[in-house]
């Protein structure tokens, strides 16, 4: 059984077939899915899917690209959802994204909102799902500041040194279809060095479909490709990768 630990079924690209697609997942060896929110609206949607499907769980949070002027009020709602909805198993998707944002003041605001959500995770004793795009040093600094908060750096793109630093802090690392691309040298190096007991698989659907489906809408139907690729890199049987990465996700997110 596979656990897709990061998929955005709130995306409009699933509007036409969301129910049919999710209903079919158990037939395709996908036994668990975690849907993280990126703002108040998508966090509420993630909760609604988790309430409808027994194999779907939710995370709630504010993505760095979704921060607005009312972020303080939004965090009140995020906290309420995290406190009152039992199928919310993490604070996420949170973190830093400097790819498009070049303004130092805006980057500083991202750091403030990230830190507030790390504080919320610590207060509620929930793991975090961290988005880190072109912000490795600052993400690591904030993770260190909140040592004791557990979580996962999703779609990990950092160096092997950063991977070891995060392992020392207790984090898991998760990988998307990027690891199936021909230019995925850094991710492959990290996977070789990181123990299987600290890895998870994800699709980040509908984005970043793996080979040979690159360019299509991604979904949890393709999460098996990440397990296959990790198995090839680590030279182990794919069934072992499926079993251990699923156990890792269940352990992190408190799923029996």
């Amino acid at each position: 059984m596979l656990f897709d630990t990061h998929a955005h079924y709130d995306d409009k690209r699933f509007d036409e077939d969301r129910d049919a697609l999710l209903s079919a997942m158990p037939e395709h060896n996908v036994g668990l899915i975690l849907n993280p929110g990126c703002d108040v609206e998508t966090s509420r949607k993630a909760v609604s899917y988790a309430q409808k499907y027994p194999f779907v769980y939710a995370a709630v949070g504010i993505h760095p690209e979704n921060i607005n002027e009312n972020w303080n009020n939004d965090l009140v709602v995020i906290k309420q959802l995290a406190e009152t909805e039992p199928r919310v198993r993490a604070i996420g998707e949170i973190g830093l994204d400097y790819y498009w944002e070049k303004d130092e003041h805006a980057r500083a605001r991202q750091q403030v909102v990230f830190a507030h959500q790390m504080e919320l995770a610590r207060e509620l004793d929930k793991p975090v799902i961290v988005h880190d795009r072109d912000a490795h040093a600052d993400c690591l600094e904030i993770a260190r500041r909140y040592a004791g908060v557990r979580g996962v750096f999703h779609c990990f793109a950092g160096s092997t040194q950063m991977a070891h630093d995060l392992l020392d802090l207790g984090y898991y690392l998760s990988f998307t279809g990027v690891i199936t691309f021909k230019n995925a040298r850094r991710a492959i190096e990290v996977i070789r060095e990181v123990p299987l007991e600290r890895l998870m698989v994800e699709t980040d659907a509908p984005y970043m479909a793996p080979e040979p489906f690159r360019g299509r809408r991604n979904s949890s139907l393709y999460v098996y490709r990440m397990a296959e690729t990790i198995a090839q890199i680590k030279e182990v049987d794919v069934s072992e990768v499926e079993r251990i990465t699923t156990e890792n996700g269940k352990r992190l997110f408190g799923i029996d």
Side-chain angles (χ1 to χ4, degrees):
M1 180 186 77
L2 288 157
F3 185 174
D4 184 355
T5 58
H6 198 110
H8 298 280
Y9 284 100
D10 50 86
D11 191 276
K12 64 182 180 182
R13 277 169 278 189
F14 294 112
D15 285 353
E16 292 187 359
D17 63 347
R18 182 180 294 108
D19 286 340
L21 186 61
L22 285 172
S23 296
M25 287 301 165
E27 302 169 20
H28 292 87
N29 196 37
V30 180
L32 291 166
I33 297 170
L34 193 136
N35 193 127
C38 291
D39 55 21
V40 168
E41 180 183 3
T42 55
S43 292
R44 283 174 170 154
K45 287 181 178 180
V47 170
S48 73
Y49 306 147
Q51 292 170 337
K52 184 173 183 179
Y53 299 97
F55 54 89
V56 176
Y57 289 84
V60 295
I62 302 173
H63 188 286
E65 291 185 339
N66 294 77
I67 297 169
N68 58 43
E69 296 300 326
N70 297 315
W71 64 266
N72 270 304
N73 294 330
D74 289 345
L75 279 183
V76 172
V77 179
I78 295 299
K79 181 179 181 181
Q80 182 182 32
L81 289 170
E83 284 182 315
T84 62
E85 296 291 345
R87 296 187 69 81
V88 172
R89 297 306 173 94
I91 304 299
E93 176 176 357
I94 65 176
L96 304 174
D97 192 317
Y98 294 168
Y99 183 76
W100 296 111
E101 189 55 76
K102 308 303 180 186
D103 180 76
E104 289 300 324
H105 294 290
R107 288 185 175 189
R109 186 172 70 167
Q110 285 190 20
Q111 295 167 24
V112 169
V113 178
F114 182 18
H116 273 275
Q117 293 182 97
M118 291 289 283
E119 182 66 41
L120 176 61
R122 183 162 64 183
E123 177 186 343
L124 300 182
D125 192 27
K126 289 189 182 293
V128 292
I129 300 171
V130 179
H131 171 102
D132 167 20
R133 191 180 189 193
D134 290 359
H136 303 324
D138 287 344
C139 276
L140 183 57
E141 189 278 326
I142 291 175
R144 283 176 169 148
R145 195 189 314 166
Y146 291 91
V149 174
R150 63 200 187 281
V152 56
F153 269 61
H154 103 96
C155 191
F156 184 72
S159 65
T160 54
Q161 181 57 57
M162 182 180 182
H164 286 299
D165 291 339
L166 289 171
L167 294 180
D168 289 343
L169 289 169
Y171 280 84
Y172 291 80
L173 307 179
S174 186
F175 294 89
T176 65
V178 170
I179 65 174
T180 69
F181 300 167
K182 291 181 179 178
N183 62 348
R185 290 183 295 274
R186 174 182 276 193
I188 290 171
E189 290 174 1
V190 171
I191 290 168
R192 283 198 183 110
E193 290 205 20
V194 172
L196 190 51
E197 289 73 19
R198 302 294 288 277
L199 297 177
M200 299 196 298
V201 293
E202 61 166 293
T203 58
D204 201 14
Y207 314 106
M208 292 187 292
E211 296 288 3
F213 310 107
R214 194 172 182 178
R216 301 185 191 179
R217 180 192 71 174
N218 201 6
S219 81
S220 303
L221 295 177
Y222 301 151
V223 72
Y224 75 92
R225 285 291 296 125
M226 278 57 87
E228 286 181 344
T229 303
I230 291 173
Q232 291 167 2
I233 294 168
K234 299 190 83 64
E235 299 181 343
V236 298
D237 191 85
V238 68
S239 63
E240 183 177 2
V241 175
E242 289 185 16
R243 177 181 62 82
I244 294 177
T245 57
T246 295
E247 288 176 355
N248 294 343
K250 290 170 70 176
R251 185 182 309 111
L252 177 63
F253 298 120
I255 298 170
D256 296 331

